[in-house]
Amino acid sequence: MLPMQRRRVDRLGRMALQVAWWCQQGEADGVPLVFASRHGDLARTCGMLGSLVRDEPLSPTQFGLSTHNAIAAQYSIARNLGGNYLCVSGGAASAEAALVEGIGLLADGVDEVLVVVYDCPLPEAYASYGDEPEAAFAWAMRLGRPCSEGVSYSLRVDGEPAHPQHGPLGHIRPEDSPAGLLPHGLEVLRFLIGDQPSLDFRDAGRTWRWQRHA
């Protein structure tokens, strides 16, 4: 990464770019990329909103780096990649959204997809809206087709999305969550690298079901 890019990208971006770089070796430079984050660089966006309130001019650079695809774009620039990359955000199930996109690319004929999942705690102004334990994290994986050797995984979803409810939202504050729980993005990582046979996650009326197959 160029020094100018390192200065522009904040901690969240540096984490995501580092794990992607470690995971994507030189021989895999042509694979499609899927970047997924629930909140993206919300701290940068929140800072710009504060500037608007104070009637201060906005920086075009700050705006460009606040968009949800900015980190993936910086990665593509740093590695001089000209292939397919996309960014997704699926609420608490953003990790699942990333894998669904990756599986779709495999179904379209590619042999491998690089998936990067990353997030960080909400800014103080939005902290009361948090509904899961929060932590800064980033992980990456190279998603390929099932093979006859090793471990494979399956993912399915049951149920229909819940209809929006009227009235105030019922958020769960992080301090009210049971001790020891992880952000869901890290629960998915723990499942993928651990030995749990399955992982269920209920979100917005749907249940995502992960299964490990030896």
Side-chain angles (χ1 to χ4, degrees):
M1 175 179 274
L2 298 175
M4 182 179 293
Q5 284 181 290
R6 284 197 296 269
R7 289 194 297 270
R8 286 179 174 179
V9 177
D10 63 6
R11 183 190 181 198
L12 175 66
R14 290 194 296 271
M15 290 191 305
L17 296 178
Q18 184 65 80
V19 297
W21 202 289
W22 282 334
C23 192
Q24 185 176 18
Q25 303 303 315
E27 75 278 5
D29 273 351
V31 304
L33 313 174
V34 177
F35 280 67
S37 176
R38 181 178 188 180
H39 303 304
D41 197 347
L42 191 55
R44 196 185 298 269
T45 302
C46 190
M48 289 192 300
L49 291 173
S51 296
L52 284 174
V53 170
R54 296 186 295 271
D55 200 24
E56 298 172 352
L58 296 182
S59 162
T61 299
Q62 290 295 317
F63 173 77
L65 291 172
S66 73
T67 60
H68 216 73
N69 68 334
I71 292 175
Q74 291 297 314
Y75 182 74
S76 179
I77 293 169
R79 291 200 69 138
N80 194 27
L81 303 176
N84 178 24
Y85 76 82
L86 54 91
C87 308
V88 298
S89 178
S94 289
E96 283 81 2
L99 270 294
V100 168
E101 290 292 339
I103 292 168
L105 290 168
L106 293 176
D108 280 344
V110 304
D111 294 323
E112 188 176 324
V113 181
L114 177 70
V115 175
V116 185
V117 180
Y118 56 98
D119 237 315
C120 64
L122 291 167
E124 183 178 354
Y126 293 97
S128 62
Y129 293 94
D131 58 5
E132 64 176 344
E134 302 213 356
F137 68 89
W139 55 268
M141 66 180 294
R142 290 166 66 171
L143 179 67
R145 299 174 181 278
C147 60
S148 58
E149 299 179 0
V151 178
S152 61
Y153 303 87
S154 61
L155 172 64
R156 77 173 193 266
V157 61
D158 298 328
E160 296 294 334
H163 295 292
Q165 295 181 349
H166 299 288
L169 297 175
H171 295 290
I172 301 172
R173 297 178 300 169
E175 59 267 29
D176 295 334
S177 301
L181 291 181
L182 298 171
H184 179 62
L186 285 181
E187 288 182 334
V188 172
L189 175 63
R190 182 171 62 178
F191 167 75
L192 292 172
I193 65 176
D195 56 5
Q196 296 172 247
S198 62
L199 173 67
D200 285 359
F201 175 61
R202 186 165 180 80
D203 174 55
R206 296 172 294 193
T207 299
W208 296 89
R209 302 185 184 277
W210 293 84
Q211 295 246 256
R212 171 180 278 100
H213 307 281

